Amino acid sequence: MPVNLSAPRAADLRPVAGVRIGVAEAGIRKANRKDLTVVLVDAGASVAGVFTQNRFCAAPVQVCREHLAHGAVRAMVINTGNANAGTGQDGLARARATCAALAHRLDLAAHQVLPFSTGVIMEPLPVERIEAGLSTALDDARPDNWLRAAEGIMTTDTVAKACSRQVELGGALVTVTGISKGAGMIRPNMATMLGFMATDARVDPALMQQLAHDLAEGSFNRVTVDGDTSTNDSFVVIATHQADNRLISSLDSADGRALQMAMLDVALQLAQAIVRDGEGATKFITVRVEGGRNGAECRKVAYAIAHSPLVKTAFFASDPNLGRILAAVGCAGIDDLDQAGIDLYLDNVHVAANGGRNPAYREEDGQRIMKQQEITVRVALGRGSAADTVWTCDLSHEYVSINADYRS
């Protein structure tokens, strides 16, 4: 069961003017499940994306990068059940054939379509099933289909992930809606995740790539489930320019900051939902590292804690074996780290002071915190004023079972 995460309601998800979504059951890997989604974008929209840093990136990621370079994106096609990764030139041909098939039905050029895939790696993409399902997905296309789309992109997720916000920009109401999927093979840069966010705000197209990058850095690049970086992760941001706000020509303007804050709120909700729904997760853990010389070293320490199997299994067992956290800090690769300057807190419990056990710490206090579903680990490095935060989950027996049985 996900950690304090409820399924979204369709009534809470706001349509975005200029975006329509259709979903179909194409039988890509299993029958009787939503596995094919099309997103249709009105002419004049701006689209930007950020993608996995895994060098063995999937065919659809490679094709998306090519097509975004052309601009004028008008549609997206998303399939689950098959990642089309580790498939070589044949995989690229199949990804391009999928784009061409949708483009033909919409009277577009193939480069105006972006493909996305998620699922099993190193298996041929069943293009014929996708092509056969496109008509059904297109017939289903409508503005209020965000929840069905969130359900249609799920793989090992147990809960659909979707969120909306509205904000006033100079008296004009602007809408932001997004969906994501992901539960395993999740670590920063980005993860086995797909994320799609749209706003009707008018934003200078020249700002879109920076906006997408900044949103990912503040959200999806701050979560980790198991430390594995996927071949397929993609996060796409769409601005349809159909709201009545004045054109945002700077992200540092008042309207730019307000829009970015609303969009980051959505992105954070979606990113944290991935961790809350982490495969087999029973705990949602915030790791906050303070007192670093810069943000980069704070992140290194935070991820060393968040990726440690020993730390994560201790959280699953509710075992306050908290020396494991200090050991993880020492493995972070901070060469001149002075352990005498380190303090460790579990929520409000001061566990370690000046690199050793706090004389006032009592194990029953640590046990009480470890039994909670939501826990904050705070490490003070005593080296400077920088700080950063990542979010993770525990590592349970169920994680092993899910991934052992994934292809069965």
Side-chain angles (χ1 to χ4, degrees):
M1 294 292 291
V3 182
N4 296 330
L5 178 65
S6 300
R9 301 187 312 157
D12 295 331
L13 301 177
R14 307 283 185 175
V16 175
V19 175
R20 292 179 296 129
I21 303 169
V23 181
E25 296 179 3
I28 292 168
R29 183 159 174 262
K30 295 181 179 179
N32 303 315
R33 64 165 294 170
K34 304 180 190 76
D35 57 7
L36 180 63
T37 302
V38 297
V39 179
L40 309 179
V41 182
D42 285 359
S46 300
V47 180
V50 291
F51 300 92
T52 182
Q53 293 185 28
N54 189 316
R55 296 299 185 267
F56 209 86
C57 60
V61 169
Q62 298 176 59
V63 174
C64 274
R65 287 172 170 154
E66 293 171 3
H67 288 188
L68 278 168
H70 287 277
V73 170
R74 294 289 309 282
M76 298 184 287
V77 55
I78 311 156
N79 75 270
T80 62
N82 185 300
N84 195 11
T87 49
Q89 290 299 313
D90 179 69
L92 287 168
R94 290 170 185 257
R96 292 182 176 121
T98 301
C99 295
L102 181 55
H104 176 72
R105 287 166 172 80
L106 298 172
D107 196 23
L108 300 173
H111 68 254
Q112 292 180 283
V113 179
L114 302 182
F116 304 88
S117 298
T118 182
V120 179
I121 294 173
M122 220 166 67
E123 292 186 1
L125 184 72
V127 176
E128 68 287 347
R129 296 180 190 173
I130 293 174
E131 290 182 355
L134 285 176
S135 294
T136 301
L138 289 171
D139 288 344
D140 184 57
R142 59 182 194 264
D144 60 348
N145 248 354
W146 285 95
L147 180 57
R148 279 173 53 78
E151 294 168 346
I153 64 175
M154 293 167 61
T155 49
T156 58
D157 309 62
T158 65
V159 175
K161 300 164 180 70
C163 183
S164 282
R165 293 288 183 270
Q166 290 186 309
V167 61
E168 280 199 9
L169 303 180
L173 187 64
V174 165
T175 298
V176 180
T177 297
I179 60 174
S180 68
K181 63 79 52 182
M185 200 185 279
I186 298 290
R187 72 151 292 165
N189 298 326
M190 296 156 48
T192 301
M193 61 140 288
L194 300 178
F196 304 95
M197 183 184 299
T199 178
D200 55 2
R202 298 178 62 234
V203 182
D204 187 335
L207 300 178
M208 289 296 295
Q209 190 59 45
Q210 184 65 49
L211 179 60
H213 173 272
D214 291 350
L215 292 173
E217 277 296 297
S219 58
F220 296 110
N221 282 351
R222 294 294 183 273
V223 299
T224 179
V225 169
D226 50 20
D228 274 329
T229 299
S230 162
T231 53
N232 288 63
D233 14 320
S234 307
F235 173 54
V236 172
V237 179
I238 303 165
T240 66
H241 309 294
Q242 296 197 19
D244 293 328
N245 65 294
R246 294 176 58 184
L247 180 70
I248 294 173
S249 55
S250 170
L251 295 177
D252 290 327
S253 66
D255 283 354
R257 289 192 297 270
L259 177 64
Q260 195 165 21
M261 186 177 300
M263 297 181 79
L264 182 58
D265 186 22
V266 171
L268 272 170
Q269 292 294 318
L270 297 175
Q272 291 183 9
I274 289 172
V275 172
R276 292 181 183 279
D277 195 27
E279 291 170 343
T282 69
K283 308 279 177 70
F284 177 80
I285 302 159
T286 299
V287 183
R288 172 81 175 171
V289 178
E290 304 170 347
R293 290 181 181 165
N294 52 57
E297 73 173 26
C298 291
R299 288 191 293 278
K300 287 182 73 172
V301 172
Y303 286 129
I305 296 168
H307 290 156
S308 167
L310 291 176
V311 171
K312 294 165 82 69
T313 50
F315 276 111
F316 171 65
S318 299
D319 176 16
N321 190 358
L322 302 176
R324 292 179 174 184
I325 297 177
L326 294 178
V329 172
C331 288
I334 310 300
D335 292 335
D336 58 345
L337 185 65
D338 180 7
Q339 61 180 278
I342 295 173
D343 284 69
L344 169 64
Y345 298 82
L346 207 62
D347 277 8
N348 60 347
V349 174
H350 193 175
V351 176
N354 306 121
R357 182 182 177 121
N358 178 13
Y361 171 68
R362 298 292 178 266
E363 179 140 332
E364 54 266 32
D365 293 329
Q367 180 80 69
R368 171 176 52 83
I369 303 299
M370 292 289 278
K371 288 181 177 179
Q372 298 172 177
Q373 286 190 309
E374 303 206 20
I375 301 166
T376 297
V377 175
R378 184 162 63 90
V379 176
L381 299 178
R383 293 161 54 85
S385 58
D388 214 329
T389 303
V390 303
W391 296 274
T392 190
C393 58
D394 57 340
L395 186 61
S396 71
H397 304 296
E398 186 65 15
Y399 176 87
V400 177
S401 298
I402 289 169
N403 283 283
D405 298 336
Y406 181 63
R407 295 207 308 163
S408 59

